[in-house]
Amino acid sequence: MSYAQNYIRIKNSIPTNVTLIAVSKTHPVEAIEEVYSIGCRHFGENKVQELIQKHAALPKDINWHMIGHLQTNKVKMIVPFVHLIHSIDSFKLLGEINKEAVKAQKKQNCLLQFYIAQEETKFGFTKEEAIEMLHSPQFESLQNITIKGVMGMASFTDDETVVKNEFLNLKSIFNDLKQSFFINNTNFDTISMGMSGDYELAIEQGSTMVRVGTSIFGTRNYSNK
Ligand SMILES: *Cc1c(COP(=O)(O)O)cnc(C)c1O
């Protein structure tokens, strides 16, 4: 099947209120163009350099999603054009994004990334850390940031019960934060969870945004870059 067919099959199989992000990291501009041509306007990348190059080469009505770990010194290169940053894992990073968003005269959409998996390597806040930040006056002062919701990555395991519980945990963090900090804020509406192997399970647990790479573009070839 072609990339476009894969995209359409997945798009048609998920609820219309769930945003499907085509994760195009490591894949060439031509592959993105194929999926763009049948209507996809949400693409995800995890490396700043690659994101910049693809943004420059491709149509400007694409919504670019930064889904990988973001270093503060690279923030200024993407804020002028990026649609949504999924990987906020510190107050320091948010402060830097706010500074660049002021310069770019925009409000930058961001998701708070949560540490929900058992693996040591995953970035993100714990619920307690996020609550502490959201309570702080320093956070209040970030005028050019729009917190859209939460993001998380489940453990890399075949055990569906483990994955399901991690998604439920993220959904409950979203609910608690909504209740405590964003009750009258309609911007706070996004739960980004689910990848090729687990997006159906994620949607069942309340995901509103899935990030799918391999099931659209095939396996990534890192040596090809
Ligand atoms: C690569 C990546 C994805 C997509 O993974 P697939 O298993 O290829 O669908 C989703 N989210 C993040 C954060 C990623 O880095």
Side-chain angles (χ1 to χ4, degrees):
M1 283 221 280
S2 69
Y3 307 140
Q5 284 171 321
N6 291 337
Y7 173 81
I8 287 172
R9 181 178 48 81
I10 296 168
K11 179 87 182 144
N12 288 341
S13 76
I14 65 176
T16 50
N17 64 307
V18 175
T19 305
L20 172 57
I21 300 173
V23 175
S24 45
K25 65 192 191 200
T26 77
H27 298 290
V29 161
E30 294 71 33
I32 299 177
E33 281 168 338
E34 181 184 321
V35 179
Y36 176 91
S37 74
I38 44 101
C40 181
R41 294 295 179 271
H42 292 272
F43 291 91
E45 292 285 335
N46 71 336
K47 297 250 173 359
V48 165
Q49 206 53 45
E50 196 174 340
L51 177 56
I52 290 169
Q53 282 165 5
K54 286 174 175 172
H55 167 259
L58 284 155
K60 295 299 171 278
D61 62 344
I62 289 178
N63 296 295
W64 288 104
H65 294 256
M66 176 58 188
I67 61 173
H69 181 62
L70 179 57
Q71 291 171 294
T72 47
N73 63 343
K74 296 191 174 161
V75 163
K76 62 175 174 298
M77 301 192 258
I78 64 166
V79 163
F81 69 87
V82 77
H83 172 64
L84 178 60
I85 301 173
H86 291 232
S87 43
I88 304 302
D89 57 3
S90 71
F91 177 76
K92 181 171 168 240
L93 180 59
L94 263 190
E96 189 64 24
I97 292 170
N98 185 67
K99 195 177 97 193
E100 296 303 325
V102 170
K103 284 188 205 159
Q105 299 187 314
K106 73 182 281 201
K107 279 209 161 199
Q108 180 61 58
N109 293 322
C110 295
L111 300 178
L112 303 179
Q113 180 170 358
F114 283 89
Y115 181 85
I116 55 169
Q118 293 165 337
E119 282 124 65
E120 280 297 316
T121 53
K122 303 260 159 88
F123 294 99
F125 290 102
T126 63
K127 187 176 159 188
E128 292 69 32
E129 288 166 348
I131 288 174
E132 192 186 326
M133 180 182 81
L134 292 168
H135 268 307
S136 71
Q138 291 90 328
F139 175 78
E140 279 295 318
S141 73
L142 303 179
Q143 294 294 319
N144 287 56
I145 299 285
T146 301
I147 301 291
K148 290 285 296 169
V150 302
M151 179 272 211
M153 287 168 86
S155 295
F156 190 69
T157 168
D158 289 336
D159 189 339
E160 281 211 358
T161 315
V162 169
V163 174
K164 181 180 165 183
N165 283 328
E166 290 171 357
F167 287 149
L168 280 175
N169 180 28
L170 187 60
K171 166 76 177 168
S172 108
I173 291 172
F174 173 86
N175 287 344
D176 290 353
L177 297 183
K178 176 91 188 159
Q179 196 65 35
S180 307
F181 301 98
F182 301 97
I183 192 76
N184 291 317
N185 183 339
T186 52
N187 286 317
F188 193 81
D189 64 359
T190 303
I191 303 176
S192 169
M193 61 184 187
M195 316 186 358
S196 290
D198 55 21
Y199 69 87
E200 285 150 319
L201 197 56
I203 291 169
E204 282 167 26
Q205 315 318 319
S207 172
T208 69
M209 190 173 265
V210 293
R211 312 176 306 267
V212 179
T214 310
S215 292
I216 297 172
F217 295 108
T219 3
R220 287 178 284 275
N221 186 347
Y222 287 94
S223 61
N224 231 351
K225 282 188 59 191

